[in-house]
Amino acid sequence: MTKLEFKSLRNFDRGMIYNMLKEAYSFDERYFQSEKEKWKMEADGFFFDNLQIADKCVFITTLNEEPIGVVMWDPRKLPDQVEIGHNCIVPKYKGHGYGKVQMEEAIRRILQQGAKKIIVSTNADLVPAQRMYESVGFEFVRREPVDAFYEAWIFYEYPIGEKEDESKL
């Protein structure tokens, strides 16, 4: 029997976020080369140095105690909006619906924090990520060209309130 859980970053060693991102993006070395310092400092370093913040906006998804994914969001603009930052599942577990379940849990937690808007963006070539965001209810907002490597960013917004209003009809 498989057991999927969402655990506090406190349960893991420094380097967990960095290593998960490195593994999740291992399909294209260019991601690692262009983002590795950000992953070390802005994700892993920041959250392990600020566990009180990580407790509110990061969790590690485990399957039978094995870490398989991570998701984090920026709480600085609450309650007006939350931007989901990194969201990934390691390659061995992609394609099994774990990313969708992980994102649903992140949305649930963000809504509990009182967010009025949830936004997320992804690279245009990450079509599975786009499909997953749409499958949990995010709606396409815009596409912005970037450069030859990233091509474009795709922006999504989660329609808070609209679904509640529709259910009252």
Side-chain angles (χ1 to χ4, degrees):
M1 183 167 104
T2 59
K3 184 176 181 186
L4 198 65
E5 294 181 288
F6 308 108
K7 296 188 175 186
S8 168
L9 188 61
R10 290 178 184 270
N11 296 317
F12 301 93
D13 294 331
R14 183 177 290 272
M16 172 58 76
I17 295 172
Y18 173 78
N19 290 329
M20 293 197 82
L21 292 169
K22 182 179 177 183
E23 186 176 352
Y25 289 98
S26 63
F27 63 89
D28 189 333
E29 182 68 19
R30 295 177 301 167
Y31 284 101
F32 176 69
Q33 292 305 320
S34 68
E35 302 294 326
K36 66 183 172 185
E37 292 307 314
K38 286 183 183 178
W39 294 345
K40 281 182 186 174
M41 302 304 294
E42 295 177 16
D44 201 85
F46 175 80
F47 286 117
F48 276 100
D49 289 343
N50 298 280
L51 288 172
Q52 74 283 2
I53 296 172
D55 287 341
K56 297 176 185 171
C57 58
V58 176
F59 63 82
I60 304 292
T61 301
T62 64
L63 180 64
N64 299 327
E65 300 297 322
E66 180 182 351
I68 67 165
V70 62
V71 62
M72 60 198 77
W73 54 92
D74 185 343
R76 292 177 291 180
K77 295 181 182 175
L78 273 169
D80 294 329
Q81 78 176 33
V82 166
E83 182 174 357
I84 295 173
H86 295 292
N87 170 54
C88 67
I89 297 291
V90 296
K92 179 179 174 182
Y93 295 100
K94 288 184 179 183
H96 299 284
Y98 300 126
K100 180 177 180 176
V101 174
Q102 176 176 273
M103 184 53 53
E104 289 170 340
E105 177 66 14
I107 291 167
R108 186 187 69 75
R109 291 179 184 208
I110 292 167
L111 292 174
Q112 283 181 337
Q113 293 174 4
K116 296 176 185 171
K117 180 192 261 186
I118 305 173
I119 57 175
V120 68
S121 61
T122 190
N123 191 328
D125 69 337
L126 298 177
V127 175
Q130 295 169 41
R131 288 185 187 132
M132 185 275 301
Y133 291 130
E134 292 169 1
S135 76
V136 297
F138 279 92
E139 297 175 351
F140 174 83
V141 175
R142 71 184 183 283
R143 177 185 178 103
E144 288 183 9
V146 182
D147 58 32
F149 172 60
Y150 284 112
E151 182 191 340
W153 285 104
I154 308 295
F155 293 86
Y156 292 94
E157 186 174 318
Y158 190 81
I160 298 172
E162 294 174 25
K163 289 183 178 183
E164 295 166 11
D165 293 342
E166 290 173 7
S167 67
K168 293 177 184 176
L169 297 177

